[in-house]
C-alpha cells in the first residue's frame, strides 16, 4: 500500500487511540466494579473524575450498566468502540478484512454482554478480541508506516489514560519510551520541543502528571 | 449442496464477522445491515453459461459501440435507427462528453446486466447498468465462506472458482491506466455500497479515496500523501455518479467530486471507469433499442432478448399500453433500484386514471413491459424449509483488452412471496451463482 495521506494518517491514529481507550477503560471498569461491590459503592464518582468524564450516573447500579453499554452516552465504552469501528471501516484496504474483523467481533461481544446476565464475565471477550486485533496489527499489516501510526495512537492514548489514572511513574516512563519509538517510525509531524520537555520532566523526582498529559495532547502537529 | 444448507448459519456468521454489509437510509437515518445470504446457489450449466456469455459479450460490445458513436459521429442517429430526441433528452446524456474519447475507446468497463429466466427457460435482459453497477463483491466473498463451511459441496460439484473478480477488475483498470496508480473513488463511509468499495480496494491493491486526497494540476490527477508528495493517478474506478464527479463541469455544488478531473480525462491523462456519460446507454428508454444497436453495429441478431417492451412515446405503443394497462409493468426511465416501478394491476381505479394522465403528459418518461413470470428459485425460510421466491441475476461483464463475462454473478431474490422486487434496498437477499465447468 504505502501511500499515507493526512486523512488516512488521522484515521489510523484514532483507530489506535480508540481501541486502546476501549481496552484500558474496560480493564479499569472491571477493577472498579469489583471494588464497588462491597468496599467502595460510591467509587464510580472517582472513576468519572479520574478519566475526565461527567458523572451522569447517580448510582452504582446505573453506572455498571450505562458506562459500558449506553451508546447514547458519548463517553461509554461502547461509543468508543464504535468510533474505533468508524476509523477501521474506512481503512479496510490498509489494515485488511481479517484485522478489521476483530473490531466487529468486539462489537458483537459487547452486544451479547449487554443482553446477558453475566455481563462482567462476558466483557472479557471484548478484551480478547481487542488483543487479537493488536496481534493482527503486528502480524498482518506489512506496511511499516501504517502499523506504526496505529501503534503510535495506541501509545499516546495509553499514556494519556495512565497519567489520568495516576499510574506509577515507572509505568509512565515505560509507556512513554515505547510511544517514542513509534512516533519516530510513524513519520508523523510532531513538536520536538514538546518531546524534549517531557524527556526532562519524566526524570525529575516529582513528575507533574497534568503538565505531561497536556504536553502529550499537543505532541502531534498537522 | 446439503452441507451448504446445513451450514447456512455459519456462512451468515462469517459474513457478519467480516463486515459484509450494505448501508440504507431510513427516515433520514443511515443504518448498516447485513445482506441476507441464502445458501442454495443458482446453478448455471456449462452450456447455458456459454450461451449467456456469448449474448452478454455481444450486448456490451454493441453498447460500447453505441457510446463511442453517440459521443462521436452519431451515425446511428443519422441513419434513423434511434430517434435523435430519444438520445438527447435522456437524463444520462452529457453534452460535455461530446467529442471526448476515453483511453482505448472503452466507455463501459464494468457492466452489470440484469437478467431473468422465464418459466419456459428463456433468459431475458431486464436492464443494463453501465454507470456504477455494484454487487460483485458479495458472491465473491460469500464463495470464500461457503468453501470454508462446506468444502464437500465444491469437491463434488465442478464449480468454476469466482474469486478471481478482483484480478479481472485490476486488469481492466491496468488496461486503460494512463501511467500512475489505480484508485477507487468512493462517496465515503455512508454510501450504501461502501463495503464493496473498500473490499475491492483491498483485493485489487488500488487506493481507496473519497477524493479529498486527489488534486488536479496541469491537467493531471495526483494523489497527495502526508508529506505533500504527489503521486500521479492513471485510472479512477469511480463509484460516484456522473453529476458529482467534477463540480467544475457537472453539478457545481458537489463536494465529493474532484475539481478539474474532467479536463484531465478529456486530455487523455487519466482513465475514468466507467466513462462519464454512459447513462445515455442504460436509460430504460434506450434499452428498447439495444437489439437494433446490435444489428446496426455488429451485423448480428441479438442473442439475448429484451423483455417485451413498449415505448408510449410511439403512438402505436401508447395505444397498446393503454389497452393492456392492467397486465403491464410501467417503469419510470429516470428511476433505479426497484423504485419507479408500477404494476398496472396493483393500482386502484383513481390511481390508474391519475397515472394514465401522467403517462399521456410525459410519454418519454416511461416504458411499459410485459410482466415476465420469471423463474422462482428456492430459498430457505426462517424455519429451514424450502420456499420459492422471485430472483434475478446480475451478470458482470468486464471490458479490458477484451470483453469477458465473470463466471458467476449476483443472484438477488425477493424475500416477500408476493413481490417481484429483488433489490437489497427493498429487503431482498442474495445467493451465490455457480457456473459449472462441465
Amino acid at each position: 500500500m504505502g501511500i499515507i495521506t493526512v486523512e488516512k494518517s488521522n484515521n489510523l491514529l484514532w483507530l489506535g487511540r480508540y481501541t486502546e481507550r476501549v481496552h484500558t477503560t474496560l480493564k479499569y471498569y472491571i477493577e472498579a466494579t469489583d471494588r464497588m461491590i462491597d468496599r467502595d459503592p460510591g467509587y464510580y464518582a472517582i472513576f468519572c473524575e479520574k478519566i475526565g468524564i461527567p458523572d451522569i450516573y447517580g448510582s452504582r447500579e446505573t453506572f455498571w450498566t450505562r458506562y459500558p453499554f449506553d451508546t447514547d452516552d458519548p463517553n461509554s465504552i461502547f461509543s468508543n468502540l464504535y468510533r474505533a469501528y468508524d476509523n477501521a471501516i474506512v481503512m479496510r484496504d490498509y489494515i485488511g478484512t481479517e484485522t478489521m474483523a476483530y473490531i466487529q467481533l468486539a462489537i458483537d461481544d459487547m452486544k451479547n454482554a449487554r443482553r446477558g446476565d453475566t455481563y462482567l464475565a462476558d466483557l472479557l471477550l471484548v478484551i480478547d478480541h481487542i488483543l487479537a486485533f493488536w496481534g493482527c496489527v503486528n502480524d498482518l499489516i506489512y506496511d511499516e508506516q501504517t502499523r506504526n501510526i496505529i501503534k503510535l495512537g495506541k501509545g499516546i492514548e495509553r499514556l494519556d489514560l495512565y497519567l489520568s489514572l495516576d499510574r506509577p511513574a515507572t509505568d509512565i516512563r515505560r509507556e512513554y519510551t515505547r510511544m517514542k519509538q513509534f512516533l519516530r517510525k510513524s513519520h508523523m509531524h510532531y513538536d520536538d520541543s514538546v518531546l524534549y520537555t517531557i524527556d526532562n520532566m519524566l526524570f525529575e523526582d516529582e513528575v507533574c502528571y497534568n503538565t505531561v498529559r497536556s504536553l502529550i495532547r499537543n505532541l502531534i502537529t498537522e | 449442496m446439503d452441507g451448504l444448507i446445513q451450514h447456512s448459519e455459519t456462512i451468515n456468521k462469517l459474513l457478519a464477522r467480516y463486515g459484509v454489509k450494505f448501508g440504507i437510509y431510513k427516515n433520514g437515518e443511515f443504518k448498516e445491515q447485513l445482506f441476507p445470504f441464502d445458501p442454495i446457489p443458482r446453478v448455471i450449466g456449462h452450456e447455458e453459461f456459454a450461451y449467456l456469455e456469448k449474448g452478454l459479450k455481444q450486448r456490451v460490445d454493441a453498447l460500447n459501440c453505441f457510446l463511442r458513436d453517440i459521443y462521436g459521429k452519431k451515425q446511428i442517429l443519422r441513419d434513423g435507427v434511434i430517434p435523435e430526441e430519444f438520445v438527447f433528452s435522456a437524463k444520462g446524456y452529457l453534452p460535455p462528453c461530446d467529442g471526448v474519447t476515453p483511453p482505448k475507446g472503452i466507455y463501459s468497463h464494468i457492466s452489470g446486466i440484469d437478467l431473468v429466466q422465464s418459466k419456459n427457460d428463456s433468459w431475458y435482459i431486464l436492464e443494463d447498468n453501465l454507470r456504477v453497477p455494484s454487487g460483485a463483491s458479495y458472491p465473491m466473498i460469500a464463495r470464500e465462506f461457503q468453501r470454508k463451511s462446506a468444502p464437500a459441496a465444491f469437491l463434488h460439484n465442478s464449480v468454476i472458482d469466482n474469486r478471481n473478480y478482483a484480478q479481472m477488475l485490476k486488469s481492466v483498470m491496468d488496461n486503460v491506466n494512463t501511467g500512475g496508480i489505480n484508485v477507487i473513488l468512493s462517496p465515503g463511509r455512508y454510501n450504501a455500497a461502501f463495503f464493496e468499495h473498500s473490499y475491492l480496494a483491498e483485493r485489487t491493491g488500488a487506493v481507496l479515496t473519497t477524493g479529498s486526497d486527489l488534486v488536479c494540476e496541469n491537467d493531471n490527477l495526483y494523489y497527495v500523501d502526508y508529506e505533500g508528495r504527489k503521486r500521479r493517478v492513471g485510472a479512477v474506478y469511480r463509484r460516484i455518479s456522473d453529476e458529482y464527479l467534477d463540480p467544475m463541469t457537472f453539478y457545481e455544488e458537489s463536494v465529493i467530486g474532484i475539481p478539474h478531473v474532467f479536463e484531465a480525462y478529456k486530455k487523455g491523462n487519466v482513465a475514468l471507469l466507467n466513462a462519464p456519460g454512459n447513462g445515455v446507454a442504460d436509460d430504460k428508454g434506450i434499452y428498447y433499442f439495444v437489439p437494433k444497436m446490435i444489428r446496426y453495429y455488429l451485423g448480428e441478431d441479438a442473442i439475448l432478448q429484451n423483455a417485451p417492451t413498449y415505448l408510449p412515446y410511439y403512438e402505436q405503443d401508447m395505444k397498446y399500453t393503454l389497452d393492456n394497462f392492467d397486465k403491464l409493468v410501467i417503469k419510470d426511465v429516470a428511476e433505479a433500484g426497484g423504485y419507479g416501478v408500477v404494476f398496472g394491476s396493483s393500482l386502484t381505479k383513481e390511481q390508474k386514471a391519475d397515472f394514465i394522465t401522467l403517462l399521456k403528459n410525459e410519454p418519454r418518461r416511461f416504458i411499459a413491459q410485459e410482466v415476465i413470470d420469471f423463474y422462482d428459485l428456492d430459498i430457505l425460510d426462517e424455519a429451514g424449509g424450502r420456499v420459492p421466491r422471485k430472483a434475478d441475476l446480475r451478470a458482470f461483464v468486464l471490458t479490458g483488452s477484451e470483453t469477458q463475462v465473470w463466471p458467476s454473478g449476483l443472484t438477488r431474490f425477493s424475500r416477500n412471496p408476493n413481490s417481484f422486487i429483488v433489490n437489497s434496498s427493498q429487503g431482498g437477499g442474495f445467493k451465490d451463482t455457480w457456473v459449472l465447468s462441465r
Side-chain angles (χ1 to χ4, degrees), chain A residues 171-217:
Chain A
D171 287 5
I172 304 294
R173 288 190 193 105
R174 183 191 65 233
E175 294 304 328
Y176 175 68
T177 307
R178 287 169 80 178
M179 185 278 291
K180 267 202 325 187
Q181 290 172 18
F182 300 121
L183 178 63
R184 296 213 163 95
K185 290 194 277 189
S186 70
H187 302 295
M188 290 198 72
H189 300 164
Y190 60 92
D191 188 338
D192 232 346
S193 67
V194 169
L195 213 55
Y196 180 77
T197 311
I198 302 173
D199 275 345
N200 287 326
M201 286 181 74
L202 283 184
F203 291 93
E204 287 168 6
D205 291 337
E206 286 285 312
V207 180
C208 178
Y209 279 21
N210 282 341
T211 312
V212 174
R213 195 173 57 219
S214 62
L215 286 167
I216 289 287
R217 287 178 180 174

Side-chain angles (χ1 to χ4, degrees), chain B residues 25 31 96 106 138 140 150 160 180 185 193 204 213 241 287 296 329 371-372 374 377 389 394 405 410:
Chain B
Y25 283 91
K31 283 187 174 165
I106 302 168
Y138 296 103
M140 180 170 72
I160 298 178
L185 176 62
T204 57
D213 311 314
S241 306
Y287 158 92
Y296 180 78
V329 53
V371 177
I372 296 175
F374 54 94
L377 292 180
R389 289 290 183 271
R394 173 166 290 179
V405 181
L410 176 70

Side-chain angles (χ1 to χ4, degrees), chain B residues 166-350:
Chain B
Q167 287 98 300
M168 287 175 73
L169 180 61
K170 182 179 183 309
S171 76
V172 163
M173 285 192 265
D174 290 345
N175 179 56
V176 288
N177 188 305
T178 57
I181 59 168
N182 293 326
V183 303
I184 295 182
L185 176 62
S186 167
R189 155 96 172 77
Y190 297 106
N191 180 267
F194 185 75
F195 159 75
E196 174 152 295
H197 307 164
S198 61
Y199 187 63
L200 290 177
E202 181 190 3
R203 294 290 155 176
T204 57
V207 170
L208 181 67
T209 175
T210 52
S212 57
D213 311 314
L214 294 172
V215 62
C216 278
E217 272 181 21
N218 304 320
D219 295 330
N220 280 295
L221 181 64
Y222 297 97
Y223 186 67
V224 185
D225 77 5
Y226 183 76
E227 299 292 338
R229 287 178 299 233
K230 295 185 186 85
R231 190 82 64 98
R232 193 173 159 205
V233 176
V236 181
Y237 176 29
R238 48 85 179 213
R239 298 293 300 254
I240 68 176
S241 306
D242 287 355
E243 58 268 39
Y244 295 104
L245 194 55
D246 181 350
M248 311 311 287
T249 305
F250 304 112
Y251 179 50
E252 62 186 27
E253 304 280 309
S254 171
V255 291
I256 54 172
I258 313 159
H260 304 291
V261 71
F262 191 74
E263 280 303 309
Y265 164 72
K266 253 170 90 171
K267 298 252 163 55
N269 294 337
V270 67
L272 297 176
L273 299 85
N274 289 338
N278 279 8
V280 66
D282 69 11
D283 182 281
K284 287 187 174 75
I286 294 292
Y287 158 92
Y288 173 87
F289 297 100
V290 177
K292 293 176 194 283
M293 279 178 211
I294 293 171
R295 162 113 330 256
Y296 180 78
Y297 292 115
L298 308 178
E300 299 167 5
D301 288 331
I303 297 167
L304 291 166
Q305 301 306 310
N306 278 2
T309 303
Y310 308 93
L311 290 185
Y313 170 84
Y314 292 126
E315 204 177 309
Q316 196 182 343
D317 284 12
M318 174 67 94
K319 185 177 181 316
Y320 182 88
T321 304
L322 297 179
D323 290 348
N324 297 278
F325 193 83
D326 290 349
K327 64 175 191 128
L328 297 173
V329 53
I330 320 288
K331 296 180 178 175
D332 187 328
V333 297
E335 297 281 1
Y339 295 98
V341 176
V342 172
F343 287 85
S345 57
S346 70
L347 299 184
T348 62
K349 204 174 169 185
E350 279 178 1

Side-chain angles (χ1 to χ4, degrees), chain B residues 107-183:
Chain B
Y107 286 79
S108 189
H109 312 80
I110 302 111
S111 310
I113 311 295
D114 293 347
L115 306 104
V116 289
Q117 191 172 20
S118 73
K119 284 186 173 161
N120 66 6
D121 283 345
S122 301
W123 287 91
Y124 290 99
I125 304 283
L126 272 193
E127 63 183 44
D128 306 294
N129 297 280
L130 309 183
R131 285 168 287 175
V132 281
S134 65
S137 59
Y138 296 103
M140 180 170 72
I141 195 167
R143 180 71 62 84
E144 188 75 39
F145 304 147
Q146 290 170 82
R147 291 172 69 98
K148 281 189 170 71
S149 308
F154 297 90
L155 189 66
H156 302 303
N157 295 286
S158 310
V159 186
I160 298 178
D161 199 340
N162 71 352
R163 292 173 297 169
N164 62 342
Y165 182 78
Q167 287 98 300
M168 287 175 73
L169 180 61
K170 182 179 183 309
S171 76
V172 163
M173 285 192 265
D174 290 345
N175 179 56
V176 288
N177 188 305
T178 57
I181 59 168
N182 293 326
V183 303

Side-chain angles (χ1 to χ4, degrees), chain B residues 380-393:
Chain B
L380 290 189
D381 65 10
E382 281 174 13
R386 283 175 176 248
V387 290
R389 289 290 183 271
K390 298 296 176 206
D392 77 350
L393 169 67

